[in-house]
Amino acid sequence: GCALAITGVCTALAFPFFPKFDSINIIMLYLLATAVGALRLGRGPSVLLAVGNMLAFDYFFVPPVFSFDVDDEQYLFTLGVMLFVALVIANLMITVSRHRELADSRERRTRVLYAMSRELAVATDAAAMASAAVRHMRDVFHCTAAVLIADHEGHLLRLASGDEAAGDGPDSVMTQVDLQYAEEVAALRERSVGRVIYQPMHTSGRVQGVIAVLLRSGVKPLLEEQLDLLDAFAVQLASALQRVQLVEAAEAARTS
């Protein structure tokens, strides 16, 4: 729909100046529209825009007008080149747009991870670290989340949850968490994606626990790059929890 609308606008702009304008000027207008449209449209609509522009130029501006017939065979070459150039431009613009989106996504990821790492660095205990992580995950993924920490025997205990802050009540993440299954996820060290997302937290030494994430109603499932960000959250939190454990162990050794 948008592609055809752009073609219609270009035709409406060019038609009053025809035949005062040379054909090349009208072609340049259509190519400009293809480039601008490809920055906003996907690959399919961009191809449709390129084809639509070529057909509109043929129908309205190539003799005989208001017909797809072509009297001068040279225009067949012109139309072919116009379509080819339009498709190349559209592909380049789509590539530029995707690179820009990727750069923006990496910038957001870096900013979020930096903010979380800064809070984890100043937190003095595991509960404060878990609360900070839950708060960031709630804001980034639009979810409720809980941090389940593993004790020395490998059993998971709730450390922090965002249910109270989010006000989710009976639809809270803790009512959906299967602790036994979460312990299996922790033992396998592999993420499980379902109604509840179980993201294990582990360091080189041991499993620190599991992050349980429950998306809010109406929120789309997490994309692969969002799951990668969740994994980065888990790595940061696991490292911070390990730091707390080492500090506590050092204090215990000093006082014993």
Side-chain angles (χ1 to χ4, degrees):
C2 292
L4 297 179
I6 293 174
T7 298
V9 170
C10 288
T11 304
L13 291 174
F15 197 78
F17 299 99
F18 179 77
K20 296 180 182 179
F21 279 13
D22 291 335
S23 297
I24 188 63
N25 294 325
I26 297 174
I27 290 175
M28 293 302 294
L29 178 62
Y30 279 119
L31 292 179
L32 176 62
T34 300
V36 175
L39 288 173
R40 299 291 183 181
L41 304 175
R43 189 172 301 276
S46 296
V47 172
L48 177 61
L49 176 60
V51 174
N53 286 347
M54 185 271 292
L55 293 176
F57 176 73
D58 181 17
Y59 188 83
F60 291 101
F61 303 106
V62 174
V65 296
F66 305 120
S67 171
F68 290 112
D69 295 332
V70 178
D71 287 344
D72 190 343
E73 293 183 355
Q74 292 183 357
Y75 274 111
L76 293 176
F77 177 77
T78 301
L79 292 171
V81 172
M82 177 184 176
L83 179 60
F84 175 77
V85 172
L87 291 175
V88 171
I89 290 175
N91 185 66
L92 290 175
M93 291 299 101
I94 290 172
T95 301
V96 169
S97 179
R98 288 184 175 177
H99 280 302
R100 183 186 61 191
E101 291 175 357
L102 181 60
D104 291 343
S105 175
R106 287 176 177 173
E107 181 182 355
R108 289 192 299 270
R109 174 190 173 105
T110 301
R111 186 168 58 250
V112 168
L113 290 175
Y114 174 74
M116 179 171 164
S117 64
R118 187 172 54 184
E119 288 197 41
L120 293 178
V122 299
T124 57
D125 56 72
M129 292 176 176
S131 296
V134 165
R135 185 171 62 256
H136 281 284
M137 287 185 286
R138 187 180 68 240
D139 294 339
V140 172
F141 302 127
H142 306 289
C143 67
T144 55
V147 173
L148 309 173
I149 190 171
D151 60 19
H152 295 291
E153 297 180 355
H155 299 300
L156 296 178
L157 305 172
R158 169 176 161 170
L159 191 62
S161 170
D163 297 335
E164 297 83 357
D168 290 320
D171 194 33
S172 69
V173 64
M174 290 309 299
T175 63
Q176 305 289 332
V177 168
D178 185 336
L179 284 178
Q180 183 177 355
Y181 182 72
E183 290 177 358
E184 295 176 2
V185 169
L188 294 174
R189 299 192 178 194
E190 294 182 359
R191 178 174 56 223
S192 174
V193 180
R195 165 69 175 166
V196 178
I197 301 173
Y198 296 92
Q199 174 65 55
M201 300 182 297
H202 55 83
T203 57
S204 57
R206 62 184 291 266
V207 175
Q208 298 293 335
V210 172
I211 297 174
V213 173
L214 174 64
L215 299 180
R216 296 173 186 168
S217 300
V219 176
K220 295 181 180 180
L222 298 186
L223 302 175
E224 189 63 32
E225 63 182 49
Q226 292 174 305
L227 292 174
D228 291 341
L229 180 57
L230 177 61
D231 182 64
F233 279 149
V235 170
Q236 279 195 341
L237 183 55
S239 298
L241 292 173
Q242 184 181 46
R243 173 169 56 86
V244 170
Q245 292 172 353
L246 292 175
V247 171
E248 291 177 349
E251 287 290 335
R254 187 175 59 183
T255 57
S256 61

